[in-house]
Amino acid sequence: MSKPFKKILITGAAGRLGTELRRGLVPLAESLVIADKVACEDVQPHEEMKVFDLADEAAVMAAAEGCDAIVHMGGAPFERPWQDVLDSNIRGSYHIYEAARAHGVRRVVYASSVHAIGYRRLDEGMRGDAPPRPDSLYGVSKCFVEALASLYWDKFGIESGCIRIFSSFPEPADRRMLWSWLSFDDMVRLVSSCLTAPHLGFTIAAGMSDNKVKPVDMSNAGHIGYAPQDSSEPYREKVEAAHPISDPKALSTQVIGGYFVDMGHPDDEGEP
Amino acid sequence: MSKPFKKILITGAAGRLGTELRRGLVPLAESLVIADKVACEDVQPHEEMKVFDLADEAAVMAAAEGCDAIVHMGGAPFERPWQDVLDSNIRGSYHIYEAARAHGVRRVVYASSVHAIGYRRLDEGMRGDAPPRPDSLYGVSKCFVEALASLYWDKFGIESGCIRIFSSFPEPADRRMLWSWLSFDDMVRLVSSCLTAPHLGFTIAAGMSDNKVKPVDMSNAGHIGYAPQDSSEPYREKVEAAHPISDPKALSTQVIGGYFVDMGHPDDEGEP
Amino acid sequence: MSKPFKKILITGAAGRLGTELRRGLVPLAESLVIADKVACEDVQPHEEMKVFDLADEAAVMAAAEGCDAIVHMGGAPFERPWQDVLDSNIRGSYHIYEAARAHGVRRVVYASSVHAIGYRRLDEGMRGDAPPRPDSLYGVSKCFVEALASLYWDKFGIESGCIRIFSSFPEPADRRMLWSWLSFDDMVRLVSSCLTAPHLGFTIAAGMSDNKVKPVDMSNAGHIGYAPQDSSEPYREKVEAAHPISDPKALSTQVIGGYFVDMGHPDDEGEP
Amino acid sequence: MSKPFKKILITGAAGRLGTELRRGLVPLAESLVIADKVACEDVQPHEEMKVFDLADEAAVMAAAEGCDAIVHMGGAPFERPWQDVLDSNIRGSYHIYEAARAHGVRRVVYASSVHAIGYRRLDEGMRGDAPPRPDSLYGVSKCFVEALASLYWDKFGIESGCIRIFSSFPEPADRRMLWSWLSFDDMVRLVSSCLTAPHLGFTIAAGMSDNKVKPVDMSNAGHIGYAPQDSSEPYREKVEAAHPISDPKALSTQVIGGYFVDMGHPDDEGEP
Amino acid sequence: MSKPFKKILITGAAGRLGTELRRGLVPLAESLVIADKVACEDVQPHEEMKVFDLADEAAVMAAAEGCDAIVHMGGAPFERPWQDVLDSNIRGSYHIYEAARAHGVRRVVYASSVHAIGYRRLDEGMRGDAPPRPDSLYGVSKCFVEALASLYWDKFGIESGCIRIFSSFPEPADRRMLWSWLSFDDMVRLVSSCLTAPHLGFTIAAGMSDNKVKPVDMSNAGHIGYAPQDSSEPYREKVEAAHPISDPKALSTQVIGGYFVDMGHPDDEGEP
Amino acid sequence: MSKPFKKILITGAAGRLGTELRRGLVPLAESLVIADKVACEDVQPHEEMKVFDLADEAAVMAAAEGCDAIVHMGGAPFERPWQDVLDSNIRGSYHIYEAARAHGVRRVVYASSVHAIGYRRLDEGMRGDAPPRPDSLYGVSKCFVEALASLYWDKFGIESGCIRIFSSFPEPADRRMLWSWLSFDDMVRLVSSCLTAPHLGFTIAAGMSDNKVKPVDMSNAGHIGYAPQDSSEPYREKVEAAHPISDPKALSTQVIGGYFVDMGHPDDEGEP
């Protein structure tokens, strides 16, 4: 059986998630364009490496040529000074969508983030596509791209899956990740679901594994067919032994963005 | 243990689903009245065959005599010219409810259809009992019977389960059925749930198997206790090999009614 | 300024509401086709009288020729035996929509009824387009036409306003009408709103005047611009003097359909 | 790994659920204070027995000293005359919350009940934290404590999990329990989830096992991480053989409170 | 025209609101029983004065004899020590409902309070019947009575209107009252609406005048027909001149309960 | 009585709305800083003119010094090429919020736009704060600023009112404006409401006058106290005479963004 896509562009391919996707998306595409600011290691025969900065519109345009899907994981993965957020996440993502429009790309999967809604409370019973409530400039930039994705579907017919990734790491690293963890395999499953869903349109989906604590109702994305198969439970004992219980009265304990709500402004002296 | 029903009338008993129900409802009734326009094959000792047209009110009345439940799968199973829809689905179903009223039938299970809400979009996050949005005269007739069932519960105390059957076939036959498929066994489970639920009242339930892609939230029918056990996944590879990806910009790809939205009016020349 | 419509067909033109509309729609159309089973009195120069039964498809087709809107008030205005409901409300309304399709009619305004949702409770805080919960065969037929109107918009692009008329009489005639009353002038305003709304699509709107007691939230139809200007208050004293307080434990006091919920089946002996 | 709590006070420790919790909460606390009106049997070395009446504020205060959590299962477990409900459930629970405030208790888990919402209908698709609709004075007292728990979180920062226990018995004892059953093990899981949830705040959670019939959407409590592992299915055959089908027109069949809705006022002569 | 009630019992008749109701309910009842802990002044011929404490069940019973409605404004009107709240608001209101049951009273109107939901935020877009979120023991007692009223309707058929009174004073006395004010005349209108609504059942209604700032959607009580006619606007200049702008970061500025959220526990030393 | 603000910065002060606000906000501030890319005419004694580009962060910072509120109407008022949208709306608004943070500004009122949700349909019954569905790059930039405003409230305590202005012109200029019109006086009322609301926090409010056709439910902003006093009705005849009825099947007729949905990409050749 032929693969559903001829060529998929993966941005942020040298990063933590991009590395997993290079492996995980092989079943879906005949070849991959892997793009990052730095060169990836071990480039495979079915892969084509492109090194550039997302702020470079011409380079983004060139990378997307011939692709029928883009998995856009690139950009700053964390709170950063405004200029960085502006260049890599806002301008960079705009370039991605323009490239998609220019080259007839059918679908874009975008690494949005829990931090687009980080001030929402664990007990408010939110849906995965809850309206914006960002906890950082980083989170604001994610809201921007979600809005952009909405426009490019409604006006230009480019389908987008915006995945609000919670915590995608090799294993849960603290108590919060016992509920926010998205295993790498589930992350690949979720990206793959967006690429193969019968209808994607403009979809915002929460990205978590099948952890016991589920603060977010993911049923709004039932139509993409994501079925997580991992859970943080096997790591519970280890995590709980290593990390004390969070202060129940701290805001960071009560919201889904966690410690992001405690960070100051990134341009202030002494901030990260 | 005695069976919960003495005698169940199954209409459309010679059809695809009726045939399955003849087998599947045996545990729930001491005997079955099997009715259709044509005679069924292999009538069993616990079965009583009745051949008539649903438009024949007297025949319907006679068939329901002595029954304490009706599983009404009869009528046109597809878009048909208006006169057919009127006679078999509208008039025929009215006869069924009148027969239920005349003979003290406790519960009716009705084969409604996804086409009662076929214009709803895959990504709108609908409930199984979403308000009408039919995609055909066939679908309009299903809305009529759902309204009738509501009346007969509220006014006459006859409980009804209206099952919006998506695609009940031996196996998924195209890419749409990878999400809309209702296996025969799950169909029997769903009808049985309606018959044995602790309280049915007037319930509309979506009828799908436990497929990965779930465009409809079926939790509104949690009180009937339907737990699907089949999935379309084992058929995915075969189906995807045989059928190309649907055009993402086609309306039929985006709505739950599928190609029904592309059909013209059945009374127009050249239409089915 | 030219009028928005060239020719409007009014069915049920000899009835209570039709008579008001003959007067009230003059500003919206250059001429009117007025249709009923019996001839109207005082036919005006801008009016064309057509006498026929709605069950006569050819006559309906002929009446709609050249019309760009239909205001469909015809059919049985009350609970009737099934055959009457079927012929005048179900078959008759189907003929209306087929005529609209055949003759390129842009908009249909349909006299639906509170009895499409008559079993809903006064205190449940329903919207004007609440899902079906009919209280009579009459109400079921209204649900049928609403579903039909939905189909003809989605599939054939004919816009429909389905007005769930509560109680449109010269003045409130009992205590229930103190909240359910729709003055004739407000009825004309509501029909006119449907005809002139910037976008109608498929809209279900509740039809009441600006009475003090408002069991239905009419804001779902804000986009049609209906602003009632009458109220039942001036009639309160007279009505309360003439009618005792309803029994608070009677179902008919608690639901919006009123005494319709107490009526038996119309085909039973002794029923109306 | 150290246990999350130093000392937990369990009220109602001699009762059906308290007995299970003495066993089940061992992994969560270094020691238990077990309290009841009568002495428990087999007091263990890690347990401290306190015998008193909940109406005795000083005794409650003393029992909570040194505890960092309270699992409050005490009080009348059934409809009782007003004076009993007042003393044990209203005054008694107030004493519990005051003791929690006095002694810096972090979390309280409270045995609320389905009877706080017993008049809700099986088919209304309610959430676990549906607004009050009690079916008894007992149920009213549960609503009181839920409101009190809300206050003590918002104003005093004491987290509470109010579990609306449906039917927690060794096994399902009648047909209603086929859907309302909460196994003892699942009850322990649910209490434990409340004690260990990353954020509890003020949470109302429905307490049922993973039974097939699910009239309540428990997803509002996803953030506490309760995953039931038992089901009533293994008991179905036995229960159905022993109990006839409920009358479908009886209110007690249609609401989640069951036969409580049929009980008169407990202070009337002849009432329980 | 005869008045709708023969005899109405008004509790708290000597208080601020009770005094207004003695005047305002004259059109609705042939005679009034006015009850309070202290004697009212200027008892009129159509009035019968009864002096007793609500904690005295026998006295409450006697006062309700012969009444067909109770307007229950009595009890502590403010945060009070627990014992006072228990005696006057919890036990006292229970006596009222028992008296209603004993004497066949048709309707009870209860002075609930904004403080039943005082922790809700001004900007959360709440309905008038939002679930409990009390800000004081006083508020918890209001939640208790609302639950009791629900029970007495569902089980004993006594209709109740629970009015969540915001701030009913002669005129707005501070900046918060510019939105929370309920004029005395509107208070009388709201109580009268509850008494005369076509169907009351169990209704919770927010009590505010037609002020410009409307933090609560009162449409859930549209079925009782309350139409406020007063507004705080005429008092704005005076109030704003006398009171500085509230601190925007203070919780008491952000919630509907105002400064109640800042009060400590009433039983603590030094608290009111 | 002293005015609520000492000094308000108005950006876009030379524009259509800015000019009105220079007049309209006089009652709320002792002095105004009026800022634009070009100098305003007729600068008044209580006004201080500042000419700069919003992309100039230092100039924005300087302008906000000493202000306790900012009314931010500046930036591109229409669809523009990406670089313009980026500089004036995204970067420029970021500078505004940074200036607010640096100078302790209490409240910001931002001119968001209907084009943040322009693809929503007239008949979908949306709230004023419906989630993003932009119809242009201009609209996407509005979504960005709304998200930014949310962050600056949650994290830095700066209150924001984001007004989604529909069509604020001297008078309705086409048929769409008969429902989307916001009179200048109502615009001033709405900005003033945001500045004086008892609690603003982060609020998104729709900006329309009291027109007959109301596609948006503005009650989500009831807590700010906006009461429109103008209506498009007096202009109806004139507008309808000058403009033909819109094509009912055109998307631009069916959505609230109007013809913006028909515009191509602004960077494409030949686009505006």
Side-chain angles (χ1 to χ4, degrees), chain B residues 37-48:
Chain B
K37 283 191 296 187
V38 296
C40 293
E41 297 179 352
D42 298 319
V43 178
Q44 303 295 310
H46 66 273
E47 295 179 327
E48 185 181 354

Side-chain angles (χ1 to χ4, degrees), chain E residues 43-66:
Chain E
V43 178
Q44 303 295 309
H46 67 274
E47 295 178 328
E48 184 182 353
M49 180 76 225
K50 306 245 180 174
V51 178
F52 57 84
D53 195 293
L54 288 164
D56 178 350
E57 182 167 14
V60 175
M61 279 285 170
E65 195 172 346

Side-chain angles (χ1 to χ4, degrees), chain C residues 171-172 174-183 186 209-214 229-241, chain E residues 1 189 193 196-198 222 224-227 229:
Chain C
E171 56 181 74
D174 59 24
R175 283 185 177 242
R176 178 170 168 269
M177 287 197 199
L178 289 176
W179 57 261
S180 68
W181 189 53
L182 174 68
S183 76
D186 279 342
S209 283
D210 186 27
N211 308 316
K212 268 181 74 173
V213 167
K214 297 181 199 302
Q229 295 179 24
D230 294 321
S231 163
S232 62
E233 280 308 292
Y235 305 91
R236 179 175 295 278
E237 197 170 345
K238 178 178 167 190
V239 169
E240 293 187 344
Chain E
M1 192 175 66
R189 280 182 195 106
S193 291
T196 60
I224 64 170
Y226 166 55
Q229 295 179 21

Side-chain angles (χ1 to χ4, degrees), chain D residues 103-126:
Chain D
H103 295 297
V105 167
R106 296 203 325 260
R107 285 193 176 171
V108 177
V109 181
Y110 172 59
S112 185
S113 166
V114 61
H115 299 293
I117 53 170
Y119 267 102
R120 296 197 174 276
R121 304 180 71 83
L122 272 164
D123 60 359
E124 75 178 64
M126 82 206 78

Side-chain angles (χ1 to χ4, degrees), chain F:
Chain F
M1 192 177 64
S2 69
K3 295 178 173 179
F5 293 94
K6 276 185 299 199
K7 190 154 67 169
I8 298 178
L9 166 61
I10 302 176
T11 69
R16 196 171 67 235
L17 305 190
T19 301
E20 297 295 322
L21 288 163
R22 286 174 58 194
R23 168 188 59 76
L25 297 186
V26 166
L28 296 185
E30 288 163 23
S31 70
L32 300 174
V33 178
I34 55 176
D36 210 310
K37 282 190 300 187
V38 297
C40 293
E41 296 178 352
D42 298 319
V43 177
Q44 303 295 309
H46 66 274
E47 295 178 328
E48 184 182 355
M49 181 76 223
K50 305 246 180 174
V51 178
F52 58 85
D53 195 292
L54 288 164
D56 177 352
E57 182 168 13
V60 175
M61 278 286 171
E65 196 172 347
C67 294
D68 41 7
I70 299 176
V71 175
H72 176 38
M73 316 300 279
F78 195 75
E79 182 64 324
R80 298 288 305 153
W82 166 244
Q83 192 61 45
D84 289 8
V85 169
L86 183 69
D87 285 339
S88 65
N89 291 10
I90 292 178
R91 293 181 56 232
S93 298
Y94 174 75
H95 298 155
I96 289 289
Y97 275 91
E98 274 300 273
R101 189 168 74 91
H103 295 297
V105 167
R106 294 203 326 260
R107 285 193 177 173
V108 176
V109 181
Y110 172 59
S112 185
S113 165
V114 60
H115 299 294
I117 52 169
Y119 267 102
R120 294 196 175 277
R121 303 181 71 85
L122 272 164
D123 59 359
E124 76 178 63
M126 81 205 79
R127 293 163 37 119
D129 61 351
R133 204 86 208 193
D135 59 19
S136 51
L137 292 182
Y138 170 73
V140 171
S141 76
K142 298 294 172 178
C143 297
F144 166 81
V145 184
E146 290 179 354
L148 195 70
S150 169
L151 175 67
Y152 275 69
W153 162 243
D154 282 331
K155 188 163 265 181
F156 305 117
I158 297 167
E159 296 187 287
S160 278
C162 296
I163 302 175
R164 289 177 174 168
I165 295 172
F166 276 59
S167 306
S168 200
F169 287 89
E171 59 181 70
D174 58 25
R175 281 184 177 244
R176 179 171 167 268
M177 288 198 201
L178 290 175
W179 57 261
S180 67
W181 189 53
L182 175 67
S183 77
F184 285 158
D185 284 351
D186 279 342
M187 185 272 297
V188 169
R189 281 182 197 106
L190 184 41
V191 170
S192 300
S193 290
C194 288
L195 288 169
T196 60
H199 171 59
L200 185 62
F202 165 63
T203 295
I204 296 176
M208 280 169 290
S209 284
D210 186 26
N211 308 316
K212 269 181 73 173
V213 167
K214 297 179 200 305
V216 177
D217 175 357
M218 295 195 284
S219 68
N220 77 294
H223 63 287
I224 64 169
Y226 166 57
Q229 295 178 23
D230 294 321
S231 162
S232 62
E233 279 310 291
Y235 305 91
R236 177 174 297 277
E237 196 171 346
K238 177 177 166 191
V239 169
E240 292 188 342
H243 299 273
I245 293 176
S246 306
D247 174 5
K249 298 189 187 178
L251 182 60
S252 60
T253 305
Q254 301 178 13
V255 295
I256 65 168
Y259 74 98
F260 267 59
V261 300
D262 292 334
M263 297 190 308
H265 195 286
D267 290 0
D268 287 355
E269 227 173 313
E271 288 292 332

